[in-house]
Amino acid sequence: MKTMKVCLVVALFSVLLMSNKSFAQDDKSYIVTVTKLHWNMDLDNFSMDEWKAVEKEYLDKVVKKNDFILGQEILLHSFTDDNTEILLVTTYDNWGAIEKAGDKDDELIKAAWPDEKARKAYFEKKGAYYARNHSDEIYATVPGGKIPKGNFDKDMLYYVRVSHLTFPKDGTEKEYKDLSKQYFDAVTNKNDFIKAYYPNRHAWGADNTQFTEVYLVDSLADLDNALNKNRELFRATWNDDAKRKAFNDKMDKYFTGKHSDYIYKSVHELTK
């Protein structure tokens, strides 16, 4: 169990990033908020096209004009335990930008819908698509991801793997980073089926051991291809049983061996 997990999920140790923006690959850590919304299952005559149009209006009039928001995207359930969930993923430069972005949103909303009645009508229409309950998590990005040069022009599959870190007494951050970089350079970065890769660590939320990795692929078939290619590349670099065991033994001590998997689908028209 642990050996297979290490072969698939090693990364630099530093939310879902998850944004498609080409941020600098340096030591800077960005802040990612993930708001889990839910569809209003009591809404009659739901239209996906109409929902997209309503959200696109807000994206164009508010989100894209808010310089404190570096990137944003909406992810829909594909294979998770809750078909009603929708993830709103937003990337910021730092913690302070979250509050500044909220203030800027208020300013842009009033500018976009100056008439109070029109503004109220729009947000009632927008809000009708969602249930009242939601939850929030905040992550910090980890330098060293596989970052695309720009936004994708089609919906992509997001394979999200949530592992749990341990804090071994005989472990060091340097050792973890060195091992992680070896794996990233030899496997993840060379895997052409993986179009993007975003590692994220817990920053604010329910579980401080959570380590979240996001792999972007074109299709379910390519997800299977990517996992198979990972194993092939891993075995090519650590090319005998003794080398593989030595590497995995060192990495295993940083993880509990427990993980969970989720698959979401992006809505490329609603991406900043």
Side-chain angles (χ1 to χ4, degrees):
M1 292 290 291
K2 280 194 172 185
T3 298
M4 179 62 71
K5 180 268 299 175
V6 170
C7 289
L8 299 179
V9 302
V10 178
L12 294 179
F13 181 42
S14 275
V15 166
L16 253 256
L17 151 286
M18 295 173 68
S19 172
N20 290 335
K21 292 298 179 181
S22 180
F23 300 124
Q25 297 188 56
D26 50 26
D27 291 333
K28 179 175 176 56
S29 182
Y30 296 89
I31 296 298
V32 177
T33 63
V34 180
T35 298
K36 182 183 290 186
L37 301 162
H38 298 271
W39 293 117
N40 175 8
M41 303 303 286
D42 296 323
L43 181 65
D44 294 328
N45 301 318
F46 171 82
S47 166
M48 181 63 73
D49 289 339
E50 290 179 5
W51 168 74
K52 286 182 181 180
V54 170
E55 287 294 346
K56 184 71 163 54
E57 184 177 1
Y58 187 83
L59 177 73
D60 291 340
K61 292 181 177 180
V62 180
V63 177
K64 287 186 175 181
K65 294 182 179 181
N66 191 332
D67 293 336
F68 295 108
I69 296 175
L70 299 182
Q72 188 172 98
E73 52 201 324
I74 292 178
L75 307 179
L76 305 181
H77 153 91
S78 185
F79 285 92
T80 71
D81 63 357
D82 184 352
N83 70 310
T84 72
E85 66 183 358
I86 308 144
L87 301 186
L88 177 66
V89 183
T90 309
T91 304
Y92 304 91
D93 187 64
N94 51 49
W95 282 90
I98 297 176
E99 184 175 358
K100 292 176 182 177
D103 293 338
K104 187 64 176 180
D105 276 352
D106 292 340
E107 175 187 323
L108 291 167
I109 286 168
K110 290 180 180 179
W113 295 275
D115 180 77
E116 186 175 352
K117 288 184 178 179
R119 185 164 65 244
K120 182 180 179 181
Y122 169 78
F123 282 98
E124 284 181 351
K125 182 177 181 180
K126 185 176 186 292
Y129 288 101
Y130 306 104
R132 290 184 176 273
N133 60 307
H134 76 272
S135 59
D136 301 285
E137 296 280 344
I138 302 178
Y139 300 90
T141 64
V142 178
K146 188 173 184 177
I147 312 298
K149 294 180 179 180
N151 290 339
F152 295 101
D153 59 2
K154 64 178 182 178
D155 297 348
M156 301 290 291
L157 283 187
Y158 282 53
Y159 167 48
V160 180
R161 187 176 180 102
V162 181
S163 303
H164 297 272
L165 295 163
T166 58
F167 305 94
K169 291 182 180 180
D170 62 341
T172 66
E173 184 175 349
K174 181 181 185 304
E175 179 186 53
Y176 187 94
K177 285 184 175 181
D178 288 345
L179 293 168
S180 299
K181 188 175 189 307
Q182 289 177 40
Y183 184 89
F184 176 80
D185 291 343
V187 180
T188 308
N189 204 37
K190 290 184 178 180
N191 191 333
D192 292 336
F193 292 107
I194 298 173
K195 304 305 181 184
Y197 167 69
Y198 308 114
N200 303 273
R201 63 177 173 83
H202 164 275
W204 187 270
D207 187 351
N208 72 318
T209 71
Q210 192 175 82
F211 181 69
T212 302
E213 298 170 281
V214 183
Y215 296 83
L216 272 65
V217 296
D218 285 324
S219 64
L220 282 174
D222 274 358
L223 175 56
D224 189 48
N225 290 333
L227 298 179
N228 289 331
K229 188 66 174 179
N230 274 357
R231 285 188 283 269
E232 176 187 320
L233 290 166
F234 179 75
R235 294 180 68 85
T237 301
W238 291 271
N239 56 13
D240 63 49
D241 289 342
K243 291 178 182 178
R244 288 191 287 272
K245 185 178 186 303
F247 180 87
N248 285 325
D249 284 348
K250 290 179 181 179
M251 282 303 307
D252 279 352
K253 67 186 179 184
Y254 292 99
F255 291 93
T256 66
K258 176 183 177 181
H259 76 272
S260 52
D261 304 280
Y262 311 86
I263 300 177
Y264 298 93
K265 189 174 184 178
S266 67
V267 184
H268 75 276
E269 304 98 323
L270 301 180
T271 298
K272 177 179 179 179

